[in-house]
Amino acid sequence: MNKRIFVIAAALALLTTATLADDVITVCGQNVQNFFYSLDRERTQSNGVAISNYTTTEGRTAKAQAIVQALAPYAADIYAFNEVEAKPQGADTEAMEILAAEMSRVTGHTYSAVSDNLTYDLASDASGAIKSGFIYRTDKVEPVGQNVSTAVGYAYIYPLMMRLQTFRSLASGEQFSLSMNHFKASTSDDYAEDVAKRELNSIALLKGLDQATDPDILVMGDLNSVMGEQCLRNLTDAGYEEQILKWEGPNAYSHWFDSGSLIDHVFANSTMAQQVTDAHMLHIANVHSVGKKNAYSDHDPYLVTLNLKAQPAATYHYTRAATMTPGVPHLMVAPINGFKAAKPVAPEKSYEYQLTTSVTDVDGVITMSDAKQAFIFEDTGDGNYHIKDYYGRYVYQFLNTSSNKYTSSTNMGVQADAHPFTLTPQADGTFKILNTTSSCYYIALTYNSTPQFALYNYASLRSGQYLPWLYAYDPNAAPTGISNADETTKPTSTRKLLINGHLLIVTPNGRRYNIQGIELR
């Protein structure tokens, strides 16, 4: 063997061993039911039951110790909490820092609170402001980038309680993005209103996750909803998989509500799910609402075990469809100035003509780097369908009351706003997608030199106008043609990539080697 190749092969063998070695990180989450730093307060629920009564430092310390004594035996690398107090302005410390200090004292490891700069004025908000937050073991992980809110884009959001933080393993350099969230509880007199607000929470969350600095995303928190509710369907339709049910089974519960319900959840996207090795509830003696006087919370904690490993970049394959399959993501595609797929309305907007992105059909398959341009057609049961985008928003059209005409732009709203559509396959493989409320069709065209999709009431297509083709998501599909991997961004750490069926090692300088250590040029 050439000496140079031998040296590279030996080095890469060690590198590959290190890359493939286990990098176990544990994450523990819980709603700790209003843990406050500030004193001289007594908060009660609507039924009069006290949920915090910290009139003394001793009382505050007792709750902190109860939380830590329950969770410290698991020695998690990251603890994520709901319902802790944001830092009162002028205070010398805050609730998360107390929990980090107490966890350090009990475990002998050093924990720090993630800085989030969330403060409030106690003088003007005597009831307090609660948030979600993180503490982490400093010899195992470190936070990367800023702690940001995932509550994006609607009037009813929880900017302090829906948070996103990326963490890096100190052992391997592998990263993942962790989002801790709290959705609206069913505490009002109008249950349907609470459900609608949780739907907004989920849409805001999916928008907010666009900020993630690492593509492996773990979503957890007190979502106050069981599987099947609209807010959680939005997550699963976007490709997130519930992990507690996956690993523990259908009888899992986290809160003694409605005879025991799983309303705290852990979701992972496709690349993150490959790194979850366990997720289950922790039913601890002094926790959750079964009438225990000394319980510090009415929610059980949960523990997620990760084995962080470099993952191939996610790809999503869509196959040209002769019929539409309800519930399956589809691309809408047309030949306008090349081959173009409709994009959803921009997350920061509620309506626009739908812009496009260029795509390539290889053997009847379009491959995308993410799933954010796909639309789901939901069967309404009466021959019609609602159209939902990746972010959980539904298509409808706005009626201009002055002209009594529907606008051609695509409006996006919650399920209650959705307009019904019919889909009729055409002989040329396209589809007539008709809004039965407005009598408008989805049409692809070029307007002001910009390829786009819009909704028009028309008698016949004009020159340069097209009905869309549909491409259905197919996890088993892959084009036989050779495609090149995107090399516009070099990795910041050594990564494994699976390209055209071959496992490659890519170094930070962008060079690629096969598993035998031979550089590929």
Side-chain angles (χ1 to χ4, degrees):
M1 177 184 289
N2 180 285
K3 183 177 181 181
R4 178 176 175 271
I5 294 177
F6 176 79
V7 171
I8 292 175
L12 284 177
L14 293 173
L15 174 62
T16 304
T17 300
T19 303
L20 296 175
D22 288 346
D23 184 12
V24 177
I25 298 294
T26 53
V27 183
C28 183
Q30 187 180 22
N31 180 332
V32 292
Q33 198 177 18
N34 293 288
F35 175 60
F36 285 90
Y37 162 79
S38 55
L39 304 177
D40 301 321
R41 65 172 59 251
E42 182 172 353
R43 302 187 66 211
T44 60
Q45 298 177 5
S46 58
N47 61 6
V49 176
I51 54 177
S52 66
N53 185 7
Y54 300 153
T55 57
T56 65
T57 303
E58 291 76 14
R60 179 180 66 197
T61 301
K63 176 148 183 170
Q65 290 179 345
I67 295 170
V68 170
Q69 287 169 4
L71 302 182
Y74 302 97
D77 302 309
I78 302 169
Y79 288 94
F81 297 114
N82 295 129
E83 293 193 11
V84 293
E85 184 185 23
K87 187 174 184 177
Q89 294 173 7
D92 57 352
T93 189
E94 63 155 329
M96 293 303 302
E97 293 170 343
I98 290 176
L99 291 174
E102 183 66 14
M103 190 67 74
S104 299
R105 183 188 69 81
V106 172
T107 64
H109 303 296
T110 300
Y111 286 84
S112 289
V114 170
S115 175
D116 54 27
N117 299 313
L118 298 177
T119 65
Y120 76 102
D121 186 351
L122 183 58
S124 60
D125 188 359
S127 65
I130 58 174
K131 68 176 183 178
S132 296
F134 310 91
I135 66 174
Y136 63 97
R137 187 172 151 177
T138 59
D139 65 326
K140 292 291 294 295
V141 297
E142 63 180 356
V144 177
Q146 293 185 323
N147 180 281
V148 297
S149 175
T150 54
V152 174
Y154 278 100
Y156 185 80
I157 51 177
Y158 281 173
L160 274 64
M161 290 189 278
M162 297 171 60
R163 309 301 301 181
L164 174 65
Q165 180 66 57
T166 295
F167 289 93
R168 177 189 293 124
S169 165
L170 298 180
S172 68
E174 287 297 321
Q175 299 181 173
F176 71 101
S177 296
L178 174 61
S179 182
M180 186 62 168
N181 302 276
H182 193 300
F183 285 3
K184 177 66 175 69
S186 296
T187 54
S188 72
D189 293 331
D190 188 342
Y191 178 75
E193 179 182 348
D194 291 331
V195 170
K197 287 180 175 179
R198 288 195 287 273
E199 182 184 1
L200 292 180
N201 285 143
S202 67
I203 296 172
L205 171 62
L206 286 168
K207 292 180 179 182
L209 292 175
D210 280 354
Q211 304 167 92
T213 57
D214 190 272
D216 305 332
I217 301 175
L218 192 68
V219 173
M220 57 173 53
D222 175 10
L223 306 187
N224 278 306
S225 48
V226 297
M227 297 303 293
E229 190 176 310
Q230 179 67 25
C231 62
L232 300 190
R233 286 204 305 270
N234 286 343
L235 292 178
T236 56
D237 284 345
Y240 287 82
E241 181 184 22
E242 216 290 343
Q243 297 297 301
I244 293 175
L245 292 174
K246 175 181 178 179
W247 290 94
E248 189 170 327
N251 296 323
Y253 67 93
S254 64
H255 187 286
W256 205 255
F257 168 78
D258 192 25
S259 299
S261 299
L262 187 70
I263 62 174
D264 298 81
H265 294 276
V266 176
F267 286 89
N269 68 353
S270 59
T271 55
M272 187 78 257
Q274 297 177 59
Q275 301 170 77
V276 177
T277 61
D278 186 57
H280 63 274
M281 300 305 306
L282 304 174
H283 300 300
I284 301 172
N286 65 337
V287 186
H288 85 67
S289 55
V290 292
K292 299 188 178 90
K293 279 189 174 182
N294 297 322
Y296 70 77
S297 175
D298 57 349
H299 291 255
D300 281 328
Y302 40 94
L303 187 69
V304 185
T305 305
L306 310 175
N307 189 356
L308 299 183
K309 293 184 178 180
Q311 298 295 311
T315 54
Y316 301 85
H317 303 296
Y318 299 85
T319 301
R320 179 84 167 265
T323 58
M324 181 275 295
T325 305
V328 172
H330 291 73
L331 299 178
M332 291 191 288
V333 177
I336 41 176
N337 288 3
F339 219 46
K340 298 292 193 301
K343 296 171 67 174
V345 171
E348 67 273 13
K349 296 182 178 181
S350 60
Y351 68 93
E352 66 180 352
Y353 298 115
Q354 288 180 248
L355 302 180
T356 64
T357 190
S358 296
V359 294
T360 301
D361 180 315
V362 179
D363 302 328
V365 178
I366 293 175
T367 300
M368 307 291 286
S369 61
D370 62 49
K372 296 177 183 178
Q373 289 182 217
F375 297 83
I376 285 179
F377 298 88
E378 293 185 350
D379 193 340
T380 61
D382 58 0
N384 296 317
Y385 301 90
H386 291 156
I387 304 176
K388 185 171 75 169
D389 74 356
Y390 170 87
Y391 299 100
R393 304 173 300 173
Y394 288 83
V395 174
Y396 72 101
Q397 285 179 266
F398 177 74
L399 178 63
N400 187 328
T401 54
S402 61
S403 64
N404 199 35
K405 292 183 179 179
Y406 286 92
T407 59
S408 297
S409 57
T410 300
N411 288 69
M412 306 303 297
V414 296
Q415 188 180 41
D417 298 322
H419 278 170
F421 287 79
T422 59
L423 283 84
T424 307
Q426 304 298 294
D428 61 357
T430 61
F431 285 78
K432 279 188 175 180
I433 304 177
L434 171 67
N435 182 339
T436 61
T437 298
S438 67
S439 298
C440 291
Y441 292 87
Y442 256 112
I443 295 176
L445 71 163
T446 300
Y447 181 74
N448 287 340
S449 301
T450 302
Q452 56 195 256
F453 284 72
L455 288 153
Y456 280 102
N457 188 328
Y458 76 102
S460 61
L461 290 173
R462 300 175 184 174
S463 176
Q465 296 181 346
Y466 305 90
L467 296 177
W469 292 300
L470 293 182
Y471 284 70
Y473 174 64
D474 183 354
N476 299 314
T480 57
I482 298 175
S483 60
N484 294 322
D486 183 4
E487 296 189 68
T488 57
T489 303
K490 292 182 179 179
T492 57
S493 61
T494 298
R495 306 279 288 183
K496 300 195 308 294
L497 289 178
L498 187 65
I499 299 178
N500 295 326
H502 300 287
L503 182 65
L504 306 182
I505 303 297
V506 184
T507 60
N509 63 9
R511 292 183 175 179
R512 300 182 180 204
Y513 299 86
N514 65 18
I515 203 67
Q516 288 78 34
I518 300 174
E519 184 174 0
L520 305 177
R521 297 181 182 274

